[in-house]
Amino acid sequence: MTNAALDTDLRDLYQDLILDHGKHPRNFRIAKNANHEALGHNPLCGDRLMLYVTVDDDNVVQDVAFQGSGCAISMASASMMTDMLKGKTLAEVGALFDYMHGACTGETVTPAGLAEDDVDRIKALAGVRHYPMRVKCATLAWHTLQAALKNEKKVSTE
Amino acid sequence: MTNAALDTDLRDLYQDLILDHGKHPRNFRIAKNANHEALGHNPLCGDRLMLYVTVDDDNVVQDVAFQGSGCAISMASASMMTDMLKGKTLAEVGALFDYMHGACTGETVTPAGLAEDDVDRIKALAGVRHYPMRVKCATLAWHTLQAALKNEKKVSTE
Amino acid sequence: MANEAASPVCYAPADELFACAAPRIYMAEQYRKDFPVLDQKIHDHPLVYLDNAASAQKPRMVMDAMTRFMENDYANIHRGVHELSVRATDKYEAVRGTVRRFINAAHDDEIIFVRGATDAINLVAASWGRTFLKAGDEIILTTLEHHANIVPWQMLRDSIGIKLVVVPITPEGDVRIEDVKAAFTSRTKLVSVAHVSNALGTVLPVAEIIKLAHEHNALALIDGCQAVSHMPVDVRGLDADFYVFSGHKLYGPTGSAILYDKREILKQMPPYQGGGDMIASVSFKETTYKEPPHRFEAGTPAITEIIGLGAAIEYVSTIGLNRIARHENELLAYATEKLRAINSLKIIGTTPNKAGIISFTMEGAHPHDIGTILDRQGVAVRAGHHCAQPLMEFLGIAATARASFGLYNTKADVDALVAALRKVQEIFA
Amino acid sequence: MANEAASPVCYAPADELFACAAPRIYMAEQYRKDFPVLDQKIHDHPLVYLDNAASAQKPRMVMDAMTRFMENDYANIHRGVHELSVRATDKYEAVRGTVRRFINAAHDDEIIFVRGATDAINLVAASWGRTFLKAGDEIILTTLEHHANIVPWQMLRDSIGIKLVVVPITPEGDVRIEDVKAAFTSRTKLVSVAHVSNALGTVLPVAEIIKLAHEHNALALIDGCQAVSHMPVDVRGLDADFYVFSGHKLYGPTGSAILYDKREILKQMPPYQGGGDMIASVSFKETTYKEPPHRFEAGTPAITEIIGLGAAIEYVSTIGLNRIARHENELLAYATEKLRAINSLKIIGTTPNKAGIISFTMEGAHPHDIGTILDRQGVAVRAGHHCAQPLMEFLGIAATARASFGLYNTKADVDALVAALRKVQEIFA
Ligand SMILES: Cc1ncc(COP(=O)(O)O)c(C=O)c1O
Ligand SMILES: Cc1ncc(COP(=O)(O)O)c(C=O)c1O
């Protein structure tokens, strides 16, 4: 691999958007009054994150926050996810999850009805699909979200 | 190996003397009044024999008897041993043991001071030295003898 | 069971790897060349290997799979982000699927990789046994069990006070379902029996035994060591709760074995050994464990050997277990007929429900003498108690000689055995 | 210890196999060709394998020993009278002597063949621990132990109520003998510590620790997993009571490992697993066990793998552990210097008492990101908690990246690592 090819290859995973979210995670705080929360854990990497979600009576996500530690990919994924979720209905969240999951595992799911901005962000995260060991880093936040919404307190990906 | 060579080879182990003692073990009985006894066991083959030895105050073997079950080699060895021991002093028994042990493991021990008859019998048993897995069959009775004389109740060869 | 195994029906799932053509003619010679060890002389006679129940020989393909793995892909698994570790992990984990299909389990995570069948039964006794059994509870075994299916339960008995109930066998070597039925009480918690007896070759009616166990709210552990190489096994069809077997008897490497354990049961079992790779998190205060199967695979597993076991399963599956069963049953019938013709010889275990194993004694000749004389003629059989001393005691014998067949044995091997036995007769005439 | 290991004195017994010439120049290149796996490209870059602490690669000689054994001599051991079984048994048992000489034990029967170091420690915890310890007794560990030397003791603690006393390490990663001394009480029964830390590379003062243990009438278990491949080990010189290591980290096969256990202690230990080959006699009423070592080797062992381990020990002994130690210490010094020059990099574990392992973190880049970026450049390192979570917690970090050296690594490998780390810096600038 030439140096240029290597750069392209690595830049596919470590895009600026990812690096930026990894370094400066958004919504990185404890949200004590959230009505859903869950602890996500990837025993392989030791990545851990606590996710707080507030859903109102109309099934609209009012607030999402997280705290934790992990690699650039898992932190960026959590940060970008929190950014995307605010203001979405639970149905929209489900569609986003499905698209995200498909994108990271290499399935082709059409982003029907998703905001262009969200699709771009998820495409950035989907660089992991060429890094099999890192897929779980990208999906940890999303699995934790599912657990939180189902009121499961803990989730562990392996 | 030709059939003749095979016969010679197997006849080296299964000599008539061995087969005879194996089939018709001498001194095959319980000797309740023996002043030494021990149980010999070879867990590999399942060979088992109970040995009874009566030694008088002058350290002369007055009686030897055994009972048990096992292969032709171990039964013949026990039977021939009991035949040899009667009337011997413990010192003579020791010399016999050393010669027997050497003969079966391929060491060269000179049969200094041993009766010609005993030497012949031990040479017959020593056919096992070309059958490494069977050496313990031939020596079981002798190890049991040692245990009995040392007042150890059990011996197991492996 | 023997009949079922011999039927030409294709058992394997309709999956390329496991497709079996089941042609009418079985050519053991064609497979012999896959086993380099068979091509040698022992004491100037061609080797006739009839000690398959103790351990089977390894096809070139298994050795190659192990070597290739070590040459190309080797690394420790699960914990690495680098390429070799990814490849090694993928190959190791893929064998769970191979095993699942082989025994028709429902889920990959019901397949635990262990060191040997002995290890597997000790695991169940220590983990499940200590958790779910209490003093007075009963485990049903049979007289013909291998020590591996006796001693772990005795150790558990001596430690927590359970009771072992032993079902006797018939003089022919059969386990009768009525006798098993009679052994149940309200305290029965487990029935742990061999699928095929390693000492006699008897095929046990395990489907019926498992059914009985479940009717009595007990679980069933099947020791499949001698079954998986001789016949198709379907753990879901049988509804076994635990099923164990060793790789080395299935033409695979030593150090590899399988514990199949139903998901619902596995989930409730605490870990057996502690260490790396089986934990979710460790602190000196508190440690949490991973989900099965990893909870039960502490430390670095026998990675290369599991890859080898996967290759062995592919090898036998490609030939087809039905074909192997039919071939071995033919050999067994042929050998039985030939051995019956030797008048000083007595076959031990005369039930027709047998898989490729034949045990015998000879008048005047101890099994060890038989073993030695056969060996000098190149014929490898086993002589002894076959790790089944209670069975030997029950039969009133100290030992037997045992010939056991593998997929590469031929009628010529049986003829060589018979000729060699004539020499035993001659010597002990 | 590092100094001792680096000294040119010939440690090996004056025995042909183990003769070591200890020439001044070490040519890792000369040994690289023995390891076929090293000769490949990963993501178009030549493989630089620096994950030896997780598992070492296998020389051709080890694979050949295993294959040759399976091609020529394979059979189950101990129980057979036929030729193959005799050969297999002899070869398997001969490895006890090879191991004895390698670690300078007194007797072959002090060498127990087990599945892994994890298996070995679990065996000691279950057999010795349950027999000789009671509620309130104490075991001393250190903060830097591998989970394999923590979890088995926790399981024992939770089952019988012993206490675990943990000796902290210094910020440099050292275990100070004063701190160990302070941990003893009248209830201390065992000290169980690593010889070399797998996470930091620290060489512990085990000789002094063992002496302290014995002064306090306690025993000492040394986890030698990371020591035996890096330096000569002399269990009698150390006076260790238990010494454990895995074959796969010593260039040997997976599924093979050693528990060295002093004869007088071993004799008093009840069996761990029950099954075939470890019994003297079995009946449903009463079972008696064989003497050590066989009492602790239930069932069919990893025969082929033990043969392979014997070959691996011959391989490293022929090169000479002193030479390997000197070579790796040179690499370690070279790597330490080069890594220090990377300003965003922090070496974790800065004691000079280290064997060929170097752990580090980088500002702004998580170890897993480092691992991925290195892998894309062909450099295999490990990233994570290295099965030492309590240590990570103590250090206040989640994970490290770790480069660990083997006898085949070169300064060029270190240069490749450094170049690859520059790319991490670039990306995470
Ligand atoms: C220091 C130490 N102890 C114990 C172990 C456990 O060895 P294994 O996984 O081979 O059982 C390891 C290796 O992972 C180690 O490095
Ligand atoms: C019926 C049966 N069960 C259990 C075992 C034990 O298997 P392993 O020695 O591979 O642990 C054997 C093989 O010896 C066997 O034949």
mmCIF file of all heavy atoms in Angstrom, chain B residues 60-90:
data_model
loop_
_atom_site.group_PDB
_atom_site.id
_atom_site.type_symbol
_atom_site.label_atom_id
_atom_site.label_comp_id
_atom_site.label_asym_id
_atom_site.label_seq_id
_atom_site.Cartn_x
_atom_site.Cartn_y
_atom_site.Cartn_z
ATOM 1 N N VAL B 60 15.028 -67.244 57.302
ATOM 2 C CA VAL B 60 14.902 -68.184 56.190
ATOM 3 C C VAL B 60 13.417 -68.247 55.787
ATOM 4 O O VAL B 60 12.543 -68.301 56.660
ATOM 5 C CB VAL B 60 15.411 -69.589 56.578
ATOM 6 C CG1 VAL B 60 15.113 -70.596 55.456
ATOM 7 C CG2 VAL B 60 16.908 -69.543 56.862
ATOM 8 N N VAL B 61 13.186 -68.213 54.472
ATOM 9 C CA VAL B 61 11.819 -68.272 53.984
ATOM 10 C C VAL B 61 11.293 -69.706 54.150
ATOM 11 O O VAL B 61 11.846 -70.639 53.568
ATOM 12 C CB VAL B 61 11.743 -67.854 52.501
ATOM 13 C CG1 VAL B 61 10.321 -67.994 51.970
ATOM 14 C CG2 VAL B 61 12.227 -66.410 52.341
ATOM 15 N N GLN B 62 10.263 -69.836 54.959
ATOM 16 C CA GLN B 62 9.710 -71.164 55.214
ATOM 17 C C GLN B 62 8.599 -71.504 54.224
ATOM 18 O O GLN B 62 8.445 -72.650 53.837
ATOM 19 C CB GLN B 62 9.150 -71.225 56.652
ATOM 20 C CG GLN B 62 10.225 -71.276 57.717
ATOM 21 C CD GLN B 62 11.089 -72.530 57.598
ATOM 22 O OE1 GLN B 62 10.703 -73.513 56.947
ATOM 23 N NE2 GLN B 62 12.279 -72.497 58.188
ATOM 24 N N ASP B 63 7.828 -70.477 53.867
ATOM 25 C CA ASP B 63 6.695 -70.748 52.981
ATOM 26 C C ASP B 63 6.368 -69.498 52.160
ATOM 27 O O ASP B 63 6.506 -68.371 52.649
ATOM 28 C CB ASP B 63 5.461 -71.149 53.807
ATOM 29 C CG ASP B 63 4.300 -71.586 52.923
ATOM 30 O OD1 ASP B 63 4.553 -72.322 51.930
ATOM 31 O OD2 ASP B 63 3.159 -71.185 53.195
ATOM 32 N N VAL B 64 5.980 -69.722 50.922
ATOM 33 C CA VAL B 64 5.484 -68.627 50.080
ATOM 34 C C VAL B 64 4.271 -69.147 49.322
ATOM 35 O O VAL B 64 4.301 -70.256 48.795
ATOM 36 C CB VAL B 64 6.507 -68.178 49.013
ATOM 37 C CG1 VAL B 64 6.225 -66.740 48.596
ATOM 38 C CG2 VAL B 64 7.918 -68.323 49.507
ATOM 39 N N ALA B 65 3.243 -68.334 49.269
ATOM 40 C CA ALA B 65 2.046 -68.713 48.524
ATOM 41 C C ALA B 65 1.449 -67.448 47.927
ATOM 42 O O ALA B 65 1.772 -66.338 48.353
ATOM 43 C CB ALA B 65 1.046 -69.386 49.446
ATOM 44 N N PHE B 66 0.616 -67.615 46.923
ATOM 45 C CA PHE B 66 -0.037 -66.428 46.350
ATOM 46 C C PHE B 66 -1.386 -66.804 45.762
ATOM 47 O O PHE B 66 -1.674 -67.981 45.511
ATOM 48 C CB PHE B 66 0.855 -65.773 45.289
ATOM 49 C CG PHE B 66 0.795 -66.413 43.930
ATOM 50 C CD1 PHE B 66 0.105 -65.787 42.877
ATOM 51 C CD2 PHE B 66 1.403 -67.635 43.686
ATOM 52 C CE1 PHE B 66 0.042 -66.379 41.615
ATOM 53 C CE2 PHE B 66 1.348 -68.227 42.417
ATOM 54 C CZ PHE B 66 0.669 -67.596 41.392
ATOM 55 N N GLN B 67 -2.185 -65.791 45.583
ATOM 56 C CA GLN B 67 -3.424 -65.940 44.827
ATOM 57 C C GLN B 67 -3.640 -64.682 44.023
ATOM 58 O O GLN B 67 -3.197 -63.613 44.428
ATOM 59 C CB GLN B 67 -4.604 -66.144 45.767
ATOM 60 C CG GLN B 67 -4.878 -67.610 46.018
ATOM 61 C CD GLN B 67 -6.324 -67.856 46.388
ATOM 62 O OE1 GLN B 67 -7.004 -66.996 46.936
ATOM 63 N NE2 GLN B 67 -6.800 -69.046 46.088
ATOM 64 N N GLY B 68 -4.323 -64.802 42.905
ATOM 65 C CA GLY B 68 -4.571 -63.601 42.128
ATOM 66 C C GLY B 68 -4.963 -63.929 40.713
ATOM 67 O O GLY B 68 -5.236 -65.076 40.373
ATOM 68 N N SER B 69 -5.009 -62.887 39.888
ATOM 69 C CA SER B 69 -5.349 -63.095 38.493
ATOM 70 C C SER B 69 -4.534 -62.148 37.653
ATOM 71 O O SER B 69 -4.169 -61.058 38.097
ATOM 72 C CB SER B 69 -6.833 -62.835 38.272
ATOM 73 O OG SER B 69 -7.083 -61.464 38.465
ATOM 74 N N GLY B 70 -4.257 -62.590 36.465
ATOM 75 C CA GLY B 70 -3.471 -61.740 35.587
ATOM 76 C C GLY B 70 -3.064 -62.493 34.349
ATOM 77 O O GLY B 70 -3.531 -63.612 34.097
ATOM 78 N N CYS B 71 -2.189 -61.893 33.586
ATOM 79 C CA CYS B 71 -1.767 -62.476 32.319
ATOM 80 C C CYS B 71 -0.813 -63.642 32.578
ATOM 81 O O CYS B 71 -0.381 -63.883 33.713
ATOM 82 C CB CYS B 71 -1.097 -61.416 31.469
ATOM 83 S SG CYS B 71 0.409 -60.776 32.214
ATOM 84 N N ALA B 72 -0.490 -64.354 31.520
ATOM 85 C CA ALA B 72 0.391 -65.514 31.626
ATOM 86 C C ALA B 72 1.725 -65.119 32.253
ATOM 87 O O ALA B 72 2.273 -65.849 33.088
ATOM 88 C CB ALA B 72 0.624 -66.116 30.236
ATOM 89 N N ILE B 73 2.234 -63.984 31.864
ATOM 90 C CA ILE B 73 3.549 -63.560 32.345
ATOM 91 C C ILE B 73 3.525 -63.291 33.842
ATOM 92 O O ILE B 73 4.408 -63.743 34.586
ATOM 93 C CB ILE B 73 4.017 -62.278 31.609
ATOM 94 C CG1 ILE B 73 3.885 -62.425 30.088
ATOM 95 C CG2 ILE B 73 5.437 -61.906 32.019
ATOM 96 C CD1 ILE B 73 4.748 -63.489 29.477
ATOM 97 N N SER B 74 2.534 -62.565 34.313
ATOM 98 C CA SER B 74 2.542 -62.215 35.735
ATOM 99 C C SER B 74 2.243 -63.438 36.603
ATOM 100 O O SER B 74 2.832 -63.615 37.666
ATOM 101 C CB SER B 74 1.578 -61.060 36.035
ATOM 102 O OG SER B 74 0.246 -61.452 35.866
ATOM 103 N N MET B 75 1.354 -64.308 36.116
ATOM 104 C CA MET B 75 1.055 -65.516 36.886
ATOM 105 C C MET B 75 2.276 -66.448 36.911
ATOM 106 O O MET B 75 2.646 -66.994 37.949
ATOM 107 C CB MET B 75 -0.152 -66.245 36.277
ATOM 108 C CG MET B 75 -1.483 -65.546 36.506
ATOM 109 S SD MET B 75 -1.925 -65.364 38.275
ATOM 110 C CE MET B 75 -1.584 -63.640 38.533
ATOM 111 N N ALA B 76 2.921 -66.609 35.762
ATOM 112 C CA ALA B 76 4.092 -67.476 35.693
ATOM 113 C C ALA B 76 5.210 -66.923 36.567
ATOM 114 O O ALA B 76 5.885 -67.673 37.290
ATOM 115 C CB ALA B 76 4.570 -67.599 34.246
ATOM 116 N N SER B 77 5.383 -65.637 36.525
ATOM 117 C CA SER B 77 6.444 -65.012 37.306
ATOM 118 C C SER B 77 6.210 -65.241 38.795
ATOM 119 O O SER B 77 7.125 -65.599 39.540
ATOM 120 C CB SER B 77 6.501 -63.524 36.981
ATOM 121 O OG SER B 77 7.437 -62.894 37.809
ATOM 122 N N ALA B 78 4.960 -65.068 39.222
ATOM 123 C CA ALA B 78 4.636 -65.275 40.630
ATOM 124 C C ALA B 78 4.843 -66.734 41.014
ATOM 125 O O ALA B 78 5.436 -67.048 42.057
ATOM 126 C CB ALA B 78 3.190 -64.848 40.900
ATOM 127 N N SER B 79 4.359 -67.608 40.169
ATOM 128 C CA SER B 79 4.471 -69.029 40.460
ATOM 129 C C SER B 79 5.940 -69.458 40.550
ATOM 130 O O SER B 79 6.362 -70.133 41.499
ATOM 131 C CB SER B 79 3.744 -69.811 39.356
ATOM 132 O OG SER B 79 4.038 -71.182 39.460
ATOM 133 N N MET B 80 6.742 -69.048 39.585
ATOM 134 C CA MET B 80 8.145 -69.422 39.574
ATOM 135 C C MET B 80 8.878 -68.812 40.764
ATOM 136 O O MET B 80 9.761 -69.438 41.366
ATOM 137 C CB MET B 80 8.793 -68.993 38.252
ATOM 138 C CG MET B 80 8.343 -69.880 37.089
ATOM 139 S SD MET B 80 8.536 -69.120 35.458
ATOM 140 C CE MET B 80 10.304 -69.182 35.269
ATOM 141 N N MET B 81 8.506 -67.598 41.112
ATOM 142 C CA MET B 81 9.140 -66.947 42.255
ATOM 143 C C MET B 81 8.881 -67.733 43.542
ATOM 144 O O MET B 81 9.809 -67.994 44.317
ATOM 145 C CB MET B 81 8.624 -65.513 42.396
ATOM 146 C CG MET B 81 9.245 -64.761 43.561
ATOM 147 S SD MET B 81 8.507 -63.127 43.802
ATOM 148 C CE MET B 81 7.035 -63.555 44.738
ATOM 149 N N THR B 82 7.626 -68.124 43.728
ATOM 150 C CA THR B 82 7.312 -68.849 44.967
ATOM 151 C C THR B 82 8.118 -70.145 45.040
ATOM 152 O O THR B 82 8.616 -70.523 46.094
ATOM 153 C CB THR B 82 5.804 -69.172 45.074
ATOM 154 O OG1 THR B 82 5.408 -69.912 43.915
ATOM 155 C CG2 THR B 82 4.970 -67.916 45.174
ATOM 156 N N ASP B 83 8.262 -70.787 43.877
ATOM 157 C CA ASP B 83 9.057 -72.025 43.815
ATOM 158 C C ASP B 83 10.509 -71.781 44.227
ATOM 159 O O ASP B 83 11.120 -72.613 44.909
ATOM 160 C CB ASP B 83 9.052 -72.567 42.373
ATOM 161 C CG ASP B 83 8.205 -73.824 42.271
ATOM 162 O OD1 ASP B 83 7.506 -74.147 43.260
ATOM 163 O OD2 ASP B 83 8.230 -74.469 41.210
ATOM 164 N N MET B 84 11.026 -70.674 43.770
ATOM 165 C CA MET B 84 12.445 -70.387 44.001
ATOM 166 C C MET B 84 12.747 -70.002 45.433
ATOM 167 O O MET B 84 13.832 -70.264 45.942
ATOM 168 C CB MET B 84 12.887 -69.224 43.104
ATOM 169 C CG MET B 84 13.127 -69.623 41.653
ATOM 170 S SD MET B 84 13.828 -68.226 40.726
ATOM 171 C CE MET B 84 12.418 -67.726 39.765
ATOM 172 N N LEU B 85 11.812 -69.306 46.076
ATOM 173 C CA LEU B 85 12.135 -68.658 47.351
ATOM 174 C C LEU B 85 12.243 -69.612 48.536
ATOM 175 O O LEU B 85 13.000 -69.359 49.478
ATOM 176 C CB LEU B 85 11.085 -67.590 47.692
ATOM 177 C CG LEU B 85 11.029 -66.387 46.744
ATOM 178 C CD1 LEU B 85 10.074 -65.333 47.299
ATOM 179 C CD2 LEU B 85 12.413 -65.771 46.555
ATOM 180 N N LYS B 86 11.475 -70.680 48.482
ATOM 181 C CA LYS B 86 11.401 -71.535 49.664
ATOM 182 C C LYS B 86 12.785 -72.040 50.066
ATOM 183 O O LYS B 86 13.531 -72.558 49.242
ATOM 184 C CB LYS B 86 10.447 -72.712 49.420
ATOM 185 C CG LYS B 86 9.255 -72.637 50.384
ATOM 186 C CD LYS B 86 8.270 -73.752 50.177
ATOM 187 C CE LYS B 86 7.238 -73.367 49.113
ATOM 188 N NZ LYS B 86 6.208 -74.407 48.937
ATOM 189 N N GLY B 87 13.112 -71.861 51.329
ATOM 190 C CA GLY B 87 14.397 -72.353 51.845
ATOM 191 C C GLY B 87 15.533 -71.356 51.725
ATOM 192 O O GLY B 87 16.637 -71.589 52.221
ATOM 193 N N LYS B 88 15.276 -70.239 51.087
ATOM 194 C CA LYS B 88 16.354 -69.251 50.924
ATOM 195 C C LYS B 88 16.397 -68.291 52.118
ATOM 196 O O LYS B 88 15.382 -68.007 52.757
ATOM 197 C CB LYS B 88 16.113 -68.451 49.647
ATOM 198 C CG LYS B 88 16.294 -69.256 48.374
ATOM 199 C CD LYS B 88 16.976 -68.446 47.298
ATOM 200 C CE LYS B 88 17.578 -69.347 46.231
ATOM 201 N NZ LYS B 88 16.696 -70.396 45.706
ATOM 202 N N THR B 89 17.608 -67.774 52.383
ATOM 203 C CA THR B 89 17.734 -66.723 53.397
ATOM 204 C C THR B 89 17.311 -65.407 52.770
ATOM 205 O O THR B 89 17.288 -65.279 51.534
ATOM 206 C CB THR B 89 19.185 -66.570 53.863
ATOM 207 O OG1 THR B 89 19.959 -66.114 52.753
ATOM 208 C CG2 THR B 89 19.737 -67.889 54.382
ATOM 209 N N LEU B 90 17.019 -64.434 53.600
ATOM 210 C CA LEU B 90 16.612 -63.132 53.065
ATOM 211 C C LEU B 90 17.724 -62.521 52.221
ATOM 212 O O LEU B 90 17.467 -61.824 51.234
ATOM 213 C CB LEU B 90 16.208 -62.190 54.196
ATOM 214 C CG LEU B 90 14.879 -62.547 54.886
ATOM 215 C CD1 LEU B 90 14.477 -61.461 55.868
ATOM 216 C CD2 LEU B 90 13.761 -62.762 53.858
#
